[in-house]
Amino acid sequence: DAKTTQPTSMDCAEGRAANLPCNHSTISGNEYVYWYRQIHSQGPQYIIHGLKNNETNEMASLIITEDRKSSTLILPHATLRDTAVYYCIVRVANTDKLIFGTGTRLQVFP
Amino acid sequence: NAGVTQTPKFRILKIGQSMTLQCTQDMNHNYMYWYRQDPGMGLKLIYYSVGAGITDKGEVPNGYNVSRSTTEDFPLRLELAAPSQTSVYFCASSYDRGYTEAFFGQGTRLTVV
């Protein structure tokens, strides 16, 4: 699976958009980009995933660059409850493993 | 649906003791995973299973064993506990390989002293 690079930490003001970047320059054509988050010490929670098109759901938007070498997770109106570690994962569609990196610690402040 | 249920939530083991961490899911998912998370670190995959009777190693399998006799259950066995196995253990499940989300349990906090 392709390796991902994320900033160690980020801050965001409550009510503003949080934009979390992820580099995956070695991604191959059949690898999906997944985002999960882990709030405090709870089990990780799925957010969104995509292949090449931008995706949006009730939690977030995922913007994937045209060359697919990077992506951005957007939380449109961050709240204090969005404070968490956010993991960007790339995964080949026909493999069985789900491998996590070290993630970005997002702190939302009032 | 209860989702993914892990027991126990907390456990203290002495060095050399054995224990089994239980994981069960009621979503009829084929894929199940065990992860460990050391303090301040990311998740590391220990073992995973793609269906009853089929298991495979992840990133850090040494010191652990698994079995998958039913679709619902995926227990993780520690045979000779060591301080290095002090960690939070998470079980997860998903319906298939990569097109759907994985659901995680709330974790088992294990301390080996």
Side-chain angles (χ1 to χ4, degrees):
Chain A
D1 290 343
K3 182 180 170 60
T4 62
T5 304
Q6 299 177 253
T8 303
S9 62
M10 295 181 65
D11 291 337
C12 178
E14 190 176 21
R16 306 297 289 266
N19 297 290
L20 291 89
C22 180
N23 282 322
H24 30 80
S25 57
T26 59
I27 195 169
S28 52
N30 59 349
E31 287 188 306
Y32 284 72
V33 180
Y34 290 78
W35 284 84
Y36 283 77
R37 73 179 182 183
Q38 188 175 24
I39 296 174
H40 194 45
S41 298
Q42 298 176 19
Q45 174 192 24
Y46 166 85
I47 302 172
I48 198 167
H49 76 280
L51 182 62
K52 55 177 85 171
N53 298 322
N54 297 338
E55 302 287 345
T56 295
N57 63 20
E58 65 278 4
M59 289 181 67
S61 294
L62 173 60
I63 308 298
I64 303 173
T65 58
E66 192 169 343
D67 62 7
R68 303 208 326 118
K69 293 184 185 301
S70 66
S71 60
T72 301
L73 178 74
I74 301 173
L75 308 178
H77 305 287
T79 71
L80 297 178
R81 289 183 296 179
D82 291 323
T83 293
V85 178
Y86 288 77
Y87 296 97
C88 170
I89 304 163
V90 293
R91 179 182 186 184
V92 179
N94 61 352
T95 62
D96 303 319
K97 299 179 184 180
L98 188 63
I99 304 293
F100 285 75
T102 53
T104 296
R105 184 172 298 276
L106 175 69
Q107 180 70 51
V108 180
F109 57 92
Chain B
N1 288 348
V4 178
T5 302
Q6 293 183 236
T7 56
K9 288 187 171 54
F10 303 94
R11 182 72 186 268
I12 298 175
L13 274 184
K14 294 185 178 179
I15 295 171
Q17 286 186 319
S18 302
M19 78 163 293
T20 299
L21 282 68
Q22 301 291 346
C23 175
T24 188
Q25 53 90 10
D26 62 358
M27 298 172 281
N28 200 33
H29 284 171
N30 294 315
Y31 285 67
M32 296 188 74
Y33 313 84
W34 273 107
Y35 293 88
R36 60 175 287 173
Q37 186 172 34
D38 298 337
M41 307 295 285
L43 286 84
K44 293 292 186 184
L45 182 64
I46 305 172
Y47 271 97
Y48 64 99
S49 169
V50 303
I54 306 170
T55 63
D56 206 349
K57 297 177 180 179
E59 303 171 277
V60 290
N62 291 345
Y64 306 94
N65 281 300
V66 293
S67 59
R68 183 95 181 271
S69 56
T70 67
T71 299
E72 295 78 18
D73 300 308
F74 189 39
L76 177 71
R77 178 86 178 159
L78 283 71
E79 289 295 347
L80 291 169
S84 61
Q85 293 177 305
T86 293
S87 192
V88 180
Y89 292 83
F90 290 101
C91 178
S93 73
S94 64
Y95 180 68
D96 61 14
R97 273 176 168 161
Y99 300 99
T100 60
E101 63 185 283
F103 294 84
F104 282 78
Q106 289 305 299
T108 294
R109 188 174 298 273
L110 176 67
T111 302
V112 181
V113 296

